[in-house]
Amino acid sequence: MISDYIKKKQILLVDDEPELLDMVASILREDGYENIRTAGTVEEALREAGESAPELAILDVMLPDGDGFGLMEKLREKGDYPVLFLTARGEDEDKFRGFGLGADDYIVKPFLPKELLFRVAAILRRSYKEEDPLVKLSGCKIDLERAEVIKEGERIPLTAKEYELLSALYRNAGRIVTIDALCEAAWGDNPYGYENSLMAHIRRIREKIETNPSKPVSLVTVKGLGYKLIIA
């Protein structure tokens, strides 16, 4: 299973055939990829790349105002991210040229949707960590590798218990984490009797991560059930 972090990567999809562009975008979205930009020309692709900062580019070779090889070189001038060629040009010399320029993969049309999804997932897994050390919230970021909150340019350290609680909430971001589950995450296999301590820790976490701790928008209470972490 691919993590939500990987499926949130920005993908730039470039092809001059609108029907194929829509089909590939639909295949990716149906598999859970959330951030897809499309373009039909080199000019559009460069404009989209400037606006969205892609983390994977899927390029056709034949484009009306240039070719995918030249586009790849221009994209790489602005950012070093993986490139997959998806094209009807299946000649060996084209494949060699693509790989020679540093492409990460090359798929010839027609293709199977599952093959595309496997190739995309493999590239993203190779290129990016499965866990993003920076968790983006409404008013701050959490650096899980350093156990720190980054807020208004300041780094605020987390205690061990705060780190355990935030890690458990992040692993279930957007979903309710029960009070018992949070107590177990912070205090181990015998979590009973720690509800008051949990509330105190939640209050201190909110003081670190919320813009207005009395009106939390990132770490919210679900009355009678537990808490939920809302990722920006």
Side-chain angles (χ1 to χ4, degrees), residues 161 179-198:
K161 289 288 187 286
I179 291 170
D180 286 348
L182 286 171
C183 288
E184 184 174 344
W187 288 281
D189 294 336
N190 187 18
Y192 302 106
Y194 287 102
E195 289 86 352
N196 289 336
S197 294
L198 174 64

Side-chain angles (χ1 to χ4, degrees), residues 15 41 65 68 98 104 106 108 117 119 128 171 173 177 181 186 189-190 197 228-229 232:
D15 198 296
T41 66
D65 55 345
D104 294 80
Y106 197 108
V108 178
L117 293 173
R119 301 277 190 101
Y128 300 100
R171 287 194 297 271
V177 184
D189 294 336
N190 187 18
S197 294
K228 185 189 297 185
L229 187 68

Side-chain angles (χ1 to χ4, degrees), residues 27 73 86 88 90 101 103 109-110 114 155:
I27 290 169
E73 291 180 309
L86 180 62
L101 289 170
K109 304 172 187 174
K114 274 195 173 182
R155 284 187 171 267

Side-chain angles (χ1 to χ4, degrees), residues 5 131-145 148-150 166-167 169-171 173 209 229-232:
Y5 167 61
E131 293 294 335
D132 186 354
L134 293 183
V135 181
K136 298 173 180 64
L137 304 180
S138 175
C140 71
K141 297 178 182 177
I142 303 172
D143 188 334
L144 290 176
E145 287 189 346
E148 294 175 335
V149 174
I150 305 169
L166 277 170
S167 294
L169 287 160
Y170 173 57
R171 287 194 297 271
I209 69 172
L229 187 68
I230 307 299
I231 304 296

Side-chain angles (χ1 to χ4, degrees), residues 160-222:
K161 289 288 187 286
E162 290 167 353
Y163 174 81
E164 294 296 342
L165 291 169
L166 277 170
S167 294
L169 287 160
Y170 173 57
R171 287 194 297 271
N172 297 276
R175 299 192 292 268
I176 299 168
V177 184
T178 66
I179 291 170
D180 286 348
L182 286 171
C183 288
E184 184 174 344
W187 288 281
D189 294 336
N190 187 18
Y192 302 106
Y194 287 102
E195 289 86 352
N196 289 336
S197 294
L198 174 64
M199 291 174 64
H201 280 85
I202 293 291
R203 184 173 64 252
R204 286 195 286 272
I205 290 171
R206 283 174 171 160
E207 289 171 355
K208 294 180 178 181
I209 69 172
E210 299 284 0
T211 302
N212 184 354
S214 62
K215 295 181 179 179
V217 296
S218 296
L219 178 48
V220 298
T221 301
V222 182

